[in-house]
């Protein structure tokens, strides 16, 4: 039993579990914002064309039973708007992270020869200009 709790503690203390929990909490709050956007702003605007709020559409079935298809359509609109906003956020984050990553052509491909100061390839062990051995000098500098 003690091993089980140790494994559970290790699992819970991982960063990705905590990140997921924070994401769920923020997602719940964000759902409230999107629901308010749809119910308080978009539905009344759509209601201008239908004469009433969209979520009030229903069909009365056998006496008191009603089919509230307007609420269902509102939920579908909430989902579509939420998915669209998440898509926009993810695409903006991806673009920002792509700009922050170093480009492959930005990485240096040459280094300076410590003797003649000419540019040589990064993997060169001997300078093609002055024929000096490069590795021995760099290893001596590290010591």
């Amino acid at each position: 039993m003690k091993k089980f709790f140790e494994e559970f503690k290790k699992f819970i203390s991982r960063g990705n579990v905590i990140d997921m929990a924070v994401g769920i909490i923020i997602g719940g709050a964000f759902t409230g914002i999107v629901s308010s956007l749809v119910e308080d702003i978009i539905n009344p605007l759509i209601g201008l064309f239908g004469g009433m709020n969209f979520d009030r559409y229903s069909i009365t079935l056998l006496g008191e039973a009603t089919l509230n298809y307007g609420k269902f359509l509102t939920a579908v609109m909430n989902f579509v708007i939420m998915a669209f906003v998440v898509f926009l956020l993810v695409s903006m984050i991806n673009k920002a992270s792509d700009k922050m990553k170093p480009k492959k052509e930005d990485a240096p491909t040459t280094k300076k020869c410590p003797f003649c100061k000419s540019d040589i390839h990064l993997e060169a062990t001997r300078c093609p200009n002055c024929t000096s051995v490069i590795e021995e000098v760099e290893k001596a500098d590290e010591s």
Side-chain angles (χ1 to χ4, degrees), residues 14 29 37 77 79 95 118-119 122 135:
R14 283 192 211 162
L37 172 72
M77 285 175 38
F79 172 77
K95 286 180 184 177
S118 63
D119 288 333
L122 277 177
E135 281 188 323

Side-chain angles (χ1 to χ4, degrees), residues 120-139:
I120 58 173
H121 193 273
L122 277 177
E123 297 176 1
T125 56
R126 187 175 288 271
C127 178
N129 299 312
C130 68
T131 68
S132 299
V133 177
I134 305 299
E135 281 188 323
E136 293 175 11
V137 172
E138 289 177 358
K139 287 179 184 175

Side-chain angles (χ1 to χ4, degrees), residues 29 47 49 51 56 59 69-71 83-84 86 98 100 104 107 129:
F49 301 108
R56 293 185 186 161
I59 296 174
Y69 68 92
K71 289 184 179 183
F84 181 69
V86 168
D98 287 345
M100 306 218 24
K104 290 183 180 179
N129 299 312

Side-chain angles (χ1 to χ4, degrees), residues 90-119:
V90 168
S91 64
M92 287 188 326
I93 290 170
N94 287 341
K95 286 180 184 177
S97 67
D98 287 345
K99 288 182 181 180
M100 306 218 24
K101 288 181 185 177
K103 296 179 182 174
K104 290 183 180 179
E105 57 263 8
D106 290 346
T109 58
T110 61
K111 61 183 176 182
K112 294 276 186 194
C113 172
F115 299 102
C116 67
K117 306 299 182 203
S118 63
D119 288 333

